[in-house]
Amino acid sequence: MSSSKKVPIPKNGVDYREKVVLAPMVRSGELPSRLLALKYGADLVWGPETIDKSMIGTTKRINPISSTIDYTRTPSNASKQPGSVIKESKIYRLHPDQEHGRLIFQIGTSSPTTAVEAAKLVAPHVAGIDVNAGCPKPFSTSGGMGAALLRTPDHLASILSALVKEVGNVFEIGISVKIRLLETADKTEALVRKLCATGITGLTVHCRTTPMRPRERAIRDQLRMIADICRGEGVACVMNGDVKNKNEALQLIQEFGCDGAMIATAAEANPSAFRTNEQGGLLPWREVVQDYMRLALDVDNKWGNTKFTLGQLMPGKAEVYKRVTQCKSYAEVCETLELENIAAQAREVDDRLGIGQTQDSSAIKKAKTENKSAQAAGGRMSVEKTRSSENRRSLSERGVGILSTMAV
């Protein structure tokens, strides 16, 4: 949408206007899912909410196999026993080439200081930093993050102002925020005006209140008012909530005067929702799963996340659904779905990740060691029993019979 006023888009940032984007989703927004959304036509992708304190203290590593940038850290519960192998946890991953200029890092925070410290770590590699002020889950709100920030608008504004000044201006990227509707239109209006005055380049509104759940229909009666305020302040307005596909997104943008739209659950079930009707619309789930598997293998995606995502992409009534959910490795999935063309790569990834039958877990190794010890002990006992048995069978040979005769 055109606007007489427009907050300048920084050199390394991106304008949210006329964009249909992937929503930030925990587990469903990891790297291969984002790459698949981009492949199918998403203009931008939001990464999953990442808590600022989890990023602080991470080590940035360039992965030579996947060509990704990985932010890792040692788990707090890692074994401190001498000689034990400590495997680092991946906190965040991005692809500097395939996501260049199209990735928005969403941060979970309740503090301007930690928000800035964490954002600086990833700022050189993303097109924008987005503050999560809409998550209603207790793990977020209990720490003063997510939707809890809606109850403290001045504090939320201070976080955004700090990010604009110390991250956005320094790294020349945009700062944005994602909110929910408040109890009344007047409260929502006051909040939006306050946030737009912080220097942000974009605002996304999830058209539900904090207590509402995804199964409840999105409320859009405040949307045009929010879009008008944003336009007046030169801030891009993105709508979110019950957007089913790209064609519907474009239609809703026109209907409510927004600048862009965000797709969440529909893309989680089938990322080809970003294909327009002219491009063929939704693809069959088998084709989507094969495309996803290729991308997951290309970046050595964590097996647990891949298995979860496959469960979202496959219809529960599909004959192979249960068999896939029981798979324990990439190779097993390829065998189950008859993906012979990537089976060899799957075995290589299984080897690197140490999953499936290619490498025993520590628990299995321990069980095998104990079993071998038991077998060895059992073997020794067997020999002793054999000897004892032989001795018992040869009592007469040992003179027992002779002694008995002599005693008589």
Side-chain angles (χ1 to χ4, degrees), residues 334-354:
C334 288
E335 182 179 356
T336 302
L337 295 177
E338 300 179 347
L339 302 176
E340 293 90 353
N341 57 331
I342 55 175
Q345 184 183 7
R347 289 190 291 271
E348 292 175 2
V349 173
D350 286 344
D351 284 340
R352 285 197 292 271
L353 298 180

Side-chain angles (χ1 to χ4, degrees), residues 188-266:
T188 301
E189 178 181 356
L191 173 68
V192 173
R193 290 190 183 281
K194 182 180 291 291
L195 302 185
C196 284
T198 61
I200 58 175
T201 59
L203 180 146
T204 300
V205 56
H206 185 155
C207 296
R208 291 183 173 90
T209 60
T210 300
M212 293 177 67
R213 292 298 174 258
R215 65 178 179 275
E216 298 180 73
R217 188 181 181 87
I219 302 171
R220 294 178 178 148
D221 56 356
Q222 296 184 40
L223 190 51
R224 181 169 289 279
M225 175 265 292
I226 296 170
D228 288 343
I229 295 172
C230 288
R231 187 174 305 107
E233 298 297 328
V235 174
C237 177
V238 179
M239 65 166 296
N240 172 225
D242 292 346
V243 183
K244 298 181 178 62
N245 53 59
K246 194 164 192 174
N247 276 86
E248 182 180 68
L250 296 173
Q251 181 265 321
L252 290 171
I253 288 172
Q254 293 297 320
E255 180 179 350
F256 291 96
C258 296
D259 297 295
M262 181 177 276
I263 304 179
T265 53

Side-chain angles (χ1 to χ4, degrees), residues 62-85:
I62 307 299
N63 190 317
I65 297 174
S66 60
S67 299
T68 58
I69 295 176
D70 301 345
Y71 291 85
T72 66
R73 71 182 310 138
T74 303
S76 58
N77 60 349
S79 173
K80 294 181 174 60
Q81 295 182 358
S84 60
V85 178

Side-chain angles (χ1 to χ4, degrees), residues 6 60 64 93 111 115 125 155 159 173 175 224 242 263 270-271 304 324 329:
K6 184 175 179 180
K60 183 174 75 171
R93 303 185 80 195
S111 161
H125 309 291
H155 184 56
I159 293 174
I173 60 175
I175 305 298
R224 181 169 289 279
D242 292 346
I263 304 179
N270 190 331
V324 169
S329 67

Side-chain angles (χ1 to χ4, degrees), residues 112-140:
T113 303
T114 53
V116 167
E117 186 176 354
K120 284 181 176 180
L121 298 174
V122 74
H125 309 291
V126 299
I129 303 292
D130 185 73
V131 173
N132 182 347
C135 179
K137 301 293 180 64
F139 79 84
S140 186

Side-chain angles (χ1 to χ4, degrees), residues 12 27 42-43 55 73 89 98 108 170 176 180 182 188 199 227 246-247 252 270 280 334 343:
N12 300 320
R27 301 183 76 179
D43 297 304
M55 281 293 290
R73 71 182 310 138
S89 298
Q98 296 186 41
V170 174
S176 59
R180 284 188 173 230
L182 297 184
T188 301
K246 194 164 192 174
N247 276 86
L252 290 171
N270 190 331
C334 288

Side-chain angles (χ1 to χ4, degrees), residues 157-169:
S158 71
I159 293 174
L160 294 173
S161 295
L163 285 169
V164 169
K165 179 181 178 181
E166 300 181 51
V167 180
N169 293 345

